Amino acid sequence: MADIEALTAMIEPVVTRQGFELVRVQMINTEAGPTLQVMAEDEAGLLHIDQCAALSREISELLDETDPIEGEYNLEVSSPGIDRPLTRAKDFSLWSGHKVRIQLVEAVEGRKKMQGTLLGIDGDAVKVRLEDGSGQEFLIPRSEIHSAKLVLTDDLIAATQPQQMN
C-alpha cells in the first residue's frame, strides 16, 4: 500500500498551486478497486466539477511521472461535501456547534465511537459533548482521532447555503 504521508507531500503543492487547500488524501478500497481519494476546497469550502477535472488532470500527470503507487488504482478528486470529514485543526474550530461523528484510535471510557456536538478545539484537543442524553463532554487529542465527520442536519445545510444578496 502507498505511503499516504509521502503522497500528501507530493500532491499538496499541486493543489496549492491551483489555489486550493488540501483537505485529505487517502487510499480506499471500492468495488472498482483501490482508489486514491483527494479532497480539496477553495476559500469558500467548495470545489466545482471543472476545478475537480483540472486538478485531477494535474495530479494524474504527477502520479504518472513519479509512479508512487504499486499496481492499478483509480484517482478520485472531489470536494469534501456538506457532511465533510474533519481533518485539520481549523475544521474543528470552523464547524463548532455542529453535530459530529468521531471514531477513535483507542477506546476512551469504553467508547471507540462518539456522536455529539462539536465544541471546538483547545490546543490540539477536540471538545465534544455527547448527544446520548448524558451531556458528558470529552477533550480528545487529535492524535487519538481515527476519523471525524460532520453529521448531515438541517442546521448544517442552512450553514452551508450561499448567502442571499438583499
Side-chain angles (χ1 to χ4, degrees):
M1 194 53 66
D3 178 358
I4 293 300
E5 287 183 21
L7 286 169
T8 299
M10 286 176 56
I11 293 169
E12 191 160 24
V14 173
V15 172
T16 303
R17 191 170 47 250
Q18 286 206 18
F20 306 118
E21 190 170 347
L22 188 63
V23 174
R24 178 175 75 188
V25 174
Q26 74 174 5
M27 188 63 83
I28 58 175
N29 289 313
T30 67
E31 286 183 19
T35 299
L36 179 63
Q37 183 186 68
V38 177
M39 287 186 182
E41 64 186 1
D42 64 12
E43 64 277 350
L46 303 170
L47 198 64
H48 300 285
I49 190 76
D50 56 329
Q51 295 169 318
C52 286
L55 192 53
S56 179
R57 280 190 298 274
E58 195 167 338
I59 292 170
S60 183
E61 287 174 15
L62 171 70
L63 295 174
D64 286 347
E65 288 172 14
T66 59
D67 198 22
I69 302 171
E70 227 176 273
E72 291 187 18
Y73 64 94
N74 297 301
L75 174 63
E76 174 186 298
V77 176
S78 67
S79 169
I82 293 176
D83 53 346
R84 62 181 302 125
L86 305 176
T87 59
R88 304 162 295 182
K90 77 176 201 173
D91 294 335
F92 292 99
S93 178
L94 181 65
W95 298 103
S96 181
H98 291 281
K99 301 290 182 197
V100 65
R101 186 173 296 122
I102 296 176
Q103 185 169 345
L104 302 171
V105 174
E106 298 288 331
V108 173
E109 293 188 25
R111 300 172 184 264
K112 197 159 180 181
K113 295 179 181 182
M114 296 182 179
Q115 185 164 315
T117 301
L118 180 60
L119 301 176
I121 193 159
D122 184 358
D124 202 36
V126 174
K127 295 170 73 172
V128 178
R129 181 182 326 106
L130 297 183
E131 65 176 24
D132 62 1
S134 70
Q136 189 174 9
E137 293 184 8
F138 285 90
L139 196 58
I140 308 163
R142 283 186 50 222
S143 61
E144 294 300 315
I145 296 176
H146 177 264
S147 63
K149 183 177 179 175
L150 289 176
V151 175
L152 189 60
T153 63
D154 289 342
D155 288 341
L156 181 60
I157 292 169
T160 56
Q161 293 301 306
Q163 298 299 310
Q164 298 295 320
M165 300 297 286
N166 290 334

